Amino acid sequence: MPALRQIIYEQVEQMPVIDTHEHLPNHDQHCPDVLADYLVHYMSSDLRSAGLSEEDLARVRCSELPVEERWEIAAPLWEFCRYTGYGRALDLAVRGIYGIDGIRRETISQLAEAYKRRRTDHRRFVLRELCRVELAILDSWAIDEPYDQELFRYAWQPEPFIMGDQGMLRSIEERGMRVKSLDDWLEAFTSALEDALRHGMVALKNAMAYSRTLHYEKVGYAAARSLFDRTLASWRAAEPEAEPIILPKPVQDFLMHFILQEAADRGLVMQVHTGLLEGNGGILENSRPGLLNNLFLEYPAVKFDLFHMGYPYCGESAALAKMFPNVCLDLCWAHIVSPAAARVALADFLDAVPYNKIMGFGGDYAFVDGIYGHLLLARENISRVLADKVEQGVCSIDRALEIAWHLLYSNPKALFRLDGQA
């Protein structure tokens, strides 16, 4: 590592982190099987992209088969994926956490045994001791499930209220509220929102680009109410095992605007999945950051945290953050999606956008080991980009370190109003 980058990296390595986005609440439900856990997402997508069939992926994840047998199924394609961000993060994690030289035929048995023998406080050990994560924002559908309040705060997805189906109707009514109109549906959402706030929620999360466009038109109450009434009648008439009947797009759009007004009234952040969709398939165009433009104009009191550098629409994300005081940029997931693209995006973001609006890291993992590997890549990326800025005469070393502190710690701490909560 060149001397200047090494100087910066050594300081960045010691900085505490506010991690903007994780999926860890469900992790304890997984079996202590390294391949099943490590292939719950991300690397499995690269393996499928490289040519692994769904059937073979299921076999590799199957804990009932010997780990060595499963490894042989994945090994040829794993080598093609080893040098992607996903593959590199896992090798870094295995070296740093278990002292094992990456994931390969010669190490898989040793790794599998080490993974089974993890300490009971493995999650806290990795996050606090190894990663120096002070707080992480958990993305969860189940806001009321127990969690470590010293380590985590919540982001809550209101998508079930926005997309809506007869299953969600049953869920609301099982809690004692009879839904007879759109107003009742809105009341149910507001009640759920208040409950989420009581459970430590600090942000809302929109991940709906996986199922629809991020463009939400302004729809009048009367039109939304009429369409909702018709859908409600269909829900009531549907057989118990019928396919879900989701709310029509105009009602979804109306509900998003309603929710954003509630967020504005409460000073809440809205995190938004933009860009690349995890998995294999999907409609990438649905996730363009520019589709949100009308919401940025309509709700200036809502802070929008645009996820994943908007990859591959990184320049579009930067332009929106430059234009709007209420739009921030978030590099969660970014450093493993493509380490090189994340460096280019961060360099552009720093050139285009005030640096108090850039969030430098969110692991975005469902298992804690991945966070460790991702954060190593993130610290290296941030150090390389800032070293380049110093060499270009853009800023001094001291200012570069101040920028790094903002990216990793003080920017997300301010955005989510975490002062005094850690």
Side-chain angles (χ1 to χ4, degrees), residues 320-348:
L320 291 164
K322 191 174 186 70
M323 291 170 60
F324 290 97
N326 58 329
V327 175
C328 298
L329 302 170
D330 201 314
L331 283 109
C332 63
W333 195 20
H335 304 280
I336 53 170
V337 164
S338 166
R343 290 193 299 274
V344 172
L346 178 57
D348 181 37

Side-chain angles (χ1 to χ4, degrees), residues 54-353:
E54 289 187 21
E55 294 76 16
D56 280 346
L57 176 59
R59 290 174 63 201
V60 177
R61 285 171 167 164
C62 180
S63 300
E64 296 178 3
L65 300 175
V67 69
E68 295 82 4
E69 176 184 328
R70 293 147 57 204
W71 174 255
E72 291 304 318
I73 298 170
L77 294 169
W78 194 290
E79 289 307 314
F80 294 133
C81 305
R82 185 179 299 281
Y83 306 104
T84 68
Y86 297 162
R88 288 166 62 188
L90 295 183
D91 277 344
L92 287 169
V94 167
R95 290 191 189 100
I97 298 172
Y98 304 103
I100 294 172
D101 186 24
I103 308 172
R104 48 182 48 85
R105 178 177 291 109
E106 297 78 13
T107 64
I108 191 65
S109 298
Q110 181 187 3
L111 174 59
E113 286 303 311
Y115 201 74
K116 289 179 183 177
R117 297 194 305 269
R118 288 171 300 167
R119 48 199 290 169
T120 55
D121 64 342
H122 181 74
R123 178 186 296 191
R124 174 175 281 268
F125 171 71
V126 171
L127 289 177
R128 276 282 165 86
E129 302 301 321
L130 299 183
C131 293
R132 298 184 182 85
V133 169
E134 183 175 293
L135 276 175
I137 309 300
L138 294 176
D139 185 336
S140 177
W141 299 88
I143 198 74
D144 57 349
E145 65 184 29
Y147 67 101
D148 184 343
Q149 297 188 34
E150 290 186 0
L151 271 176
F152 302 117
R153 295 294 180 271
Y154 262 122
W156 177 54
Q157 293 192 35
E159 181 176 335
F161 286 96
I162 297 173
M163 302 298 286
D165 61 22
Q166 59 269 44
M168 187 60 186
L169 175 67
R170 286 194 297 271
S171 177
I172 291 171
E173 297 195 331
E174 284 169 1
R175 291 177 171 85
M177 180 178 186
R178 179 73 173 172
V179 176
K180 297 175 287 186
S181 66
L182 177 59
D183 288 344
D184 292 336
W185 193 262
L186 299 179
E187 183 181 339
F189 164 75
T190 303
S191 176
L193 177 61
E194 293 297 334
D195 188 51
L197 288 167
R198 286 190 293 271
H199 281 89
M201 184 192 79
V202 296
L204 294 167
K205 166 72 184 303
N206 176 353
M208 284 184 280
Y210 282 96
S211 53
R212 54 152 290 162
T213 174
L214 286 179
H215 181 64
Y216 299 89
E217 299 179 62
K218 195 68 178 289
V219 176
Y221 171 79
R225 181 182 61 188
S226 176
L227 285 170
F228 182 89
D229 287 346
R230 281 185 239 166
T231 308
L232 181 60
S234 298
W235 290 344
R236 299 287 186 205
E239 295 294 328
E241 302 305 319
E243 289 293 313
I245 303 167
I246 65 170
L247 289 167
K249 183 180 181 295
V251 182
Q252 296 174 23
D253 292 355
F254 170 86
L255 290 167
M256 175 55 76
H257 282 266
F258 175 84
I259 286 169
L260 285 172
Q261 188 56 60
E262 294 293 309
D265 293 343
R266 291 166 171 79
L268 290 173
V269 176
M270 174 63 83
Q271 298 181 319
V272 187
H273 180 111
T274 64
L276 180 71
L277 302 169
E278 155 60 358
N280 302 96
I283 301 174
L284 184 61
E285 187 71 19
N286 281 349
S287 66
R288 289 193 73 121
L291 295 170
L292 298 158
N293 203 143
N294 64 316
L295 301 184
F296 303 154
L297 288 164
E298 184 83 14
Y299 302 98
V302 176
K303 291 284 189 182
F304 291 88
D305 185 24
L306 302 187
F307 272 11
H308 316 317
M309 63 181 171
Y311 180 82
Y313 310 111
C314 306
E316 194 168 292
S317 296
L320 291 164
K322 191 174 186 70
M323 291 170 60
F324 290 97
N326 58 329
V327 175
C328 298
L329 302 170
D330 201 314
L331 283 109
C332 63
W333 195 20
H335 304 280
I336 53 170
V337 164
S338 166
R343 290 193 299 274
V344 172
L346 178 57
D348 181 37
F349 291 172
L350 290 171
D351 278 354
V353 178

